[in-house]
Amino acid sequence: MLSFIPFPALPTPPSWFPGHMNRFTKQLPALLSRTDVVLELRDARLPLTSINHNLERAIRKWRAERGRDASMITPPSASPTGPAIPGYGSAICERIVVLNKHDLVPEWGVEPFRKTMAARFPDQIVHFASCNKPRDIKTLSELLVNIAKTSPHATEMNVLVVGMPNVGKSTLLNSLRSRGIAGRTAKALQTSAQPGHTRTLSTRLKISENPLIYSYDSPGVMLPFLGRGEQGAERGVKLALIAGIKESLYDVEALVNYLLYRLNILDPVSPAYLKVLPEGSEPTTDVYVFLEQLAARLGMRVRGGDVDTARAAIWFVEWWRREGSLISASAPRSIGRRNPRVSQGDPPGCLDDATHYSLPIRRGWGFDFEWTVDAASSDSESKGNVEEKMGACIDTYMRMMEVQEELGGGVSQTQEKKRAWEEKLAKRKARLSRKNV
């Protein structure tokens, strides 16, 4: 078992904000004016990192314009179907946060996370879903239908789907349409494993006939700038791992280094990557040792017989997206258990049935939550304790984002220079127009 898991060195985050993202961001206020429900998708593995704070500001303004102050709203039920009524005000104005790819996070953290979010964000209905789980789609469809029925005099309800790139917006809408429309329905929206496939706002898509509900699919919008320092670097690597950012912008070895760190945090006793290493391998924090072992296990070699660690790195990231996430989602809440790969004769450094570390141990849920537990008490870590630790993580993250915004963390130096130049040109144009009058 790993008693110390060092944080890896990470590269400076790249900037990836194509023109279609900028255009949609400018269109968003006008779109919200004819929207009844905002359906925001996030990746369940990154419930905080996949928040787009530019969209947050636009949504807060939309709700304020409709008289939906968050302080006036009754907190939603802990039930996945949410509140029975749409809240304050006569017009429908709801926000549903869908944590997609529900099956890729450990189940033991779902309910504590839902309760933590309900306590801190009463204006949001949190729903966990996986597009390949019919029950999840059915529950979400019923939630939308129930909201539409709270306004019986409205002829239709319009839903706008927003979120970061590659969180599954188009796939979810196709699933909702198949659920809400009787008979066989053709695939209405094209999907892709690569980010940025949807580049324009879709035409209205009917997802329910009774009541009548329409939806728009929108382009995935990345943050114009991921932030400065370690926080910005970590945010970029996380989004690259879920294919939210173009892979070509990152060295794959940096992704493997961070992925190794996170899998060790999720399960320091028997991390998921042991499944693909040679028999008898131990957990490691050394990315070079790991890649050499993996390349040897896979038989990946370059001319001359040396192991091909570059090809092994690419294979590992793809394996994690395809299979490893499911394996890591089975990580138990308690960690005081024996590593099945450790023999009785192994020296200290591996946890057995009778031995516990006296040092604190880092634990986590998904890739956004990490906390310290005492090894001696890790077996009995309760749901209430997990909820408290998740709440502390959320509070810390939100404070960090507020500080970054105050310091201009949402804008890079290049963007600051561009804005200053645009302002200078605007002033020059205004002076020339006054002279010509």
Side-chain angles (χ1 to χ4, degrees):
M1 174 175 173
L2 297 170
S3 58
F4 176 67
I5 306 173
F7 191 82
L10 300 177
T12 302
S15 177
W16 184 60
F17 195 68
H20 71 272
M21 295 185 183
N22 188 39
R23 286 193 297 273
F24 175 74
T25 302
K26 292 178 179 178
Q27 295 171 356
L28 185 58
L31 292 171
L32 288 172
S33 67
R34 56 180 189 268
T35 295
D36 302 304
V37 175
V38 171
L39 192 65
E40 180 193 356
L41 258 71
R42 301 177 191 169
D43 192 297
R45 295 164 294 182
L46 304 178
L48 302 180
T49 299
S50 53
I51 298 174
N52 188 317
H53 294 275
N54 288 344
L55 298 180
E56 289 286 309
R57 286 191 289 270
I59 293 171
R60 285 198 298 267
K61 183 179 179 182
W62 166 67
R63 292 180 63 82
E65 289 173 348
R66 298 207 179 181
R68 298 292 297 275
D69 189 338
S71 63
M72 304 171 70
I73 301 173
T74 303
S77 165
S79 166
T81 56
I85 60 173
Y88 178 83
S90 57
I92 296 176
C93 179
E94 285 300 324
R95 179 183 184 180
I96 303 173
V97 176
V98 176
L99 278 300
N100 197 20
K101 304 178 184 178
H102 171 203
D103 54 334
L104 302 184
V105 292
E107 188 64 32
W108 56 261
V110 170
E111 196 58 30
F113 176 82
R114 198 196 311 275
K115 291 181 179 179
T116 302
M117 290 292 288
R120 285 161 175 77
F121 304 99
D123 59 324
Q124 300 177 11
I125 302 172
V126 175
H127 177 81
F128 280 86
S130 291
C131 294
N132 59 344
K133 304 290 186 183
R135 181 179 297 179
D136 292 347
I137 300 302
K138 176 184 177 182
T139 305
L140 181 58
S141 179
E142 290 173 349
L143 172 58
L144 291 171
V145 167
N146 289 339
I147 291 174
K149 288 181 177 178
T150 60
S151 184
H153 301 295
T155 57
E156 62 186 38
M157 185 175 81
N158 291 299
V159 179
L160 177 64
V161 180
V162 296
M164 290 275 200
N166 210 31
V167 290
K169 297 183 295 296
S170 300
T171 303
L172 181 72
L173 274 179
N174 283 331
S175 300
L176 284 172
R177 182 170 182 262
S178 296
R179 173 72 197 179
I181 305 298
R184 297 187 63 180
T185 56
K187 185 177 179 180
L189 301 170
Q190 295 297 315
T191 59
S192 172
Q194 298 301 317
H197 181 77
T198 302
R199 302 179 66 87
T200 59
L201 189 74
S202 72
T203 56
R204 289 210 310 171
L205 180 70
K206 185 188 294 185
I207 59 175
S208 174
E209 293 179 323
N210 185 26
L212 197 57
I213 302 176
Y214 290 95
S215 180
Y216 295 93
D217 185 24
S218 66
V221 179
M222 181 56 63
L223 291 167
F225 180 57
L226 293 172
R228 297 184 172 89
E230 187 177 276
Q231 290 81 15
E234 186 176 11
R235 186 178 299 118
V237 171
K238 286 179 180 179
L239 292 169
L241 278 171
I242 66 166
I245 296 178
K246 279 189 175 181
E247 291 183 22
S248 59
L249 299 175
Y250 270 98
D251 175 21
V252 70
E253 188 178 287
L255 302 185
V256 172
N257 199 11
Y258 185 78
L259 181 54
L260 195 67
Y261 167 78
R262 276 295 161 193
L263 293 179
N264 283 331
I265 291 292
L266 285 172
D267 190 350
V269 175
S270 185
Y273 60 77
L274 290 182
K275 303 287 186 182
V276 296
L277 291 184
E279 187 68 28
S281 298
E282 299 292 341
T284 180
T285 60
D286 190 321
V287 66
Y288 301 108
V289 170
F290 169 77
L291 287 175
E292 286 178 358
Q293 289 181 321
L294 180 61
R297 168 69 174 78
L298 298 173
M300 293 181 174
R301 297 187 179 275
V302 296
R303 183 175 297 178
D306 292 335
V307 291
D308 191 347
T309 55
R311 192 151 59 102
I314 295 171
W315 183 92
F316 181 61
V317 172
E318 290 302 319
W319 171 84
W320 176 76
R321 291 172 180 165
R322 187 180 62 253
E323 300 176 33
S325 288
L326 287 169
I327 296 173
S328 62
S330 63
R333 184 169 74 245
S334 62
I335 59 175
R337 60 185 179 86
R338 199 183 187 301
N339 185 343
R341 290 183 177 252
V342 178
S343 65
Q344 295 293 338
D346 282 332
C350 297
L351 186 66
D352 61 24
D353 293 332
T355 305
H356 290 273
Y357 284 100
S358 59
L359 296 174
I361 296 173
R362 298 299 288 173
R363 285 289 284 148
W365 182 77
F367 277 21
D368 277 347
F369 291 91
E370 184 179 338
W371 56 80
T372 301
V373 297
D374 294 330
S377 62
S378 61
D379 289 353
S380 58
E381 192 178 15
S382 65
K383 286 187 178 180
N385 194 25
V386 170
E387 185 179 331
E388 180 182 342
K389 292 180 184 298
M390 282 185 170
C393 291
I394 292 174
D395 293 340
T396 299
Y397 179 83
M398 299 309 294
R399 284 196 300 269
M400 180 187 71
M401 294 308 301
E402 289 175 3
V403 170
Q404 284 206 6
E405 286 198 16
E406 290 175 0
L407 298 175
V411 182
S412 68
Q413 293 181 351
T414 302
Q415 291 165 343
E416 288 176 349
K417 291 178 181 178
K418 183 178 179 180
R419 288 183 181 181
W421 177 247
E422 289 175 347
E423 290 175 0
K424 185 176 180 180
L425 290 178
K427 290 179 181 178
R428 182 183 299 174
K429 185 177 181 180
R431 286 197 301 270
L432 291 175
S433 62
R434 285 197 297 268
K435 288 181 181 179
N436 294 331
V437 172

